[in-house]
Amino acid sequence: MESFLIKGGVPLHGEVTVSGSKNAALPIMAATLLTDEPCVVRGIPDLSDTRFMAQILASLGAAVKFSGGTLTVRAKKLRGYADYELVRRMRGSICIAGPLLARLRKTRISLPGGCVIGARPINLHLKGFEALGAQIRIEAGYVDASAKKIVGSTVFLGGRAGSTVLGTANVMMAACLADGVTVIESAACEPEIVDLANFLTAMGAKISGAGSPAVTIIGVDRLNGVEYEVIPDRIEAATFAIAAAATDGEVTIKNCRPDHLRAVLDKLGEAGATVRQRRDELTVRRAKNLRAVDVTTLPYSGFPTDVQAQMTALLTLAPGISIVTERIFESRFMHVSELARLGADIEIEGPSAIVKGGRPLSGAPVMASDLRASAALVIAGLAAKGTTQVNRIYHLDRGYERMDVKLRKLGARIRRVQEK
Ligand code: EPU
């Protein structure tokens, strides 16, 4: 296994270019299954998760080529059964269910388990499929969904933590080829849903309202092949912005969408960073001393759960007490005990982390537990005095394209080494 070895205390300076969005890419990759014509998707980040999704598409019978950020898929003939071992390894693979159901009228995929960030049920996905006329059977760890006909209907996808991003994506994709009109109420409003809707629209789907809580899909008979480019990764952009503030540096983040980052930029400003925005780039630097702030994660356009860990790392450096409340995934605080190894003072109280910030961090060996927790540990390591070894960075490689290379260009002293 590989680790990052970070010699901290160096302010980041320079320019970094954000890759295509992982969480936009994964459902769009699945959506290529909705047509038997070729689809070419550009800007797909080269990550273990996207390579893995390409493998799943191929295992379903599609002809797949993925190189240099461009994915070409032709799903002429498909089978509806996804291999248990493949689907089990990545939760995001659940979004193949909607396209398979739409195209083949039946699918069988393994039930994704929970993961370290929380329970991650799929009841809302299944509720949506049932509303479209599918029969669902759960047996021996598999979900079987089948329908004589996919029929448009109105479905409410709100859950206990708001809507569901991949659930909305799944129902939207299935509804594209339904008979009649589907309305998804309490739909997820994330930019990745808008990107998927744009992709589907380019394929010939009839969708309105994406990005709002009510999405309407008028079913069509067939979809066509398309060429498309995914949006930049807002979570990667946020991670570099926070790293710039944490190291007291100044970083220009290129190929990003500031309009997708409002909540993060607002909090960064409150915490003492200055942010300059141009159309598709941002410059972030620490203007003054960091200040403690309270952060609550919420569905878009609120503060993203996928940036909570990185923000927590930054707030360990801000004198005073910050309260970080996680409202989307109940156990997404695995980074806290590892941040403590670097000297951070954080207590968990129910859904909140109470961060008593301002103590200097010092390097230590730490263990990554999930994707965003890994990013938080890298940020803390960059800000800490001395050497930090972040172990198990395969978690980080699931969602950040060449993060070590990008950070080195910004002056960070970071190396990829074999874990000892
Ligand atoms: N939920 C239900 N029932 C469902 C589905 C979800 O109760 O059927 C609950 C979840 O337990 C959670 C909340 O609804 O409390 C939101 O989960 P959601 O379904 O929106 O999450 P997801 O679609 O499975 C995507 C991203 C996650 C990101 C979340 C929230 C992808 C591949 N994954 O997951 O990304 O945290 O939305 O924004 O798009 C990451 O990139 O690190 C990551 C975990």
Side-chain angles (χ1 to χ4, degrees), residues 352-363:
S352 299
I354 319 292
V355 184
K356 294 173 198 154
R359 285 209 207 166
L361 300 181
S362 59

Side-chain angles (χ1 to χ4, degrees), residues 22-23 26 91-92 117 120-125 160-161 163-166 190 305-306 328-329 332 371-372:
K22 165 181 85 83
N23 289 348
L26 292 174
R91 242 206 78 93
I117 68 173
R120 310 198 76 182
I122 58 162
N123 57 309
L124 297 170
H125 301 235
R160 62 182 167 76
S163 191
T164 159
V165 177
L166 290 177
E190 270 67 6
T305 173
D306 292 344
I328 310 294
F329 291 112
R332 206 171 198 178
L371 168 57
R372 307 304 171 187

Side-chain angles (χ1 to χ4, degrees), residues 62-75:
V64 181
K65 205 176 137 229
F66 180 29
S67 78
T70 299
L71 174 87
T72 310
V73 180
R74 179 151 205 196

Side-chain angles (χ1 to χ4, degrees), residues 3 52 95 154 238 350 370:
S3 309
F52 197 59
C95 57
T154 295
D370 66 82

Side-chain angles (χ1 to χ4, degrees), residues 3-7 393 404 408 412-417:
S3 309
F4 278 165
L5 208 55
I6 303 168
K7 290 195 175 141
I393 50 156
D404 46 338
R408 264 201 304 277
R413 288 181 292 174
I414 181 168
R415 274 194 303 130
R416 190 179 280 265
V417 297

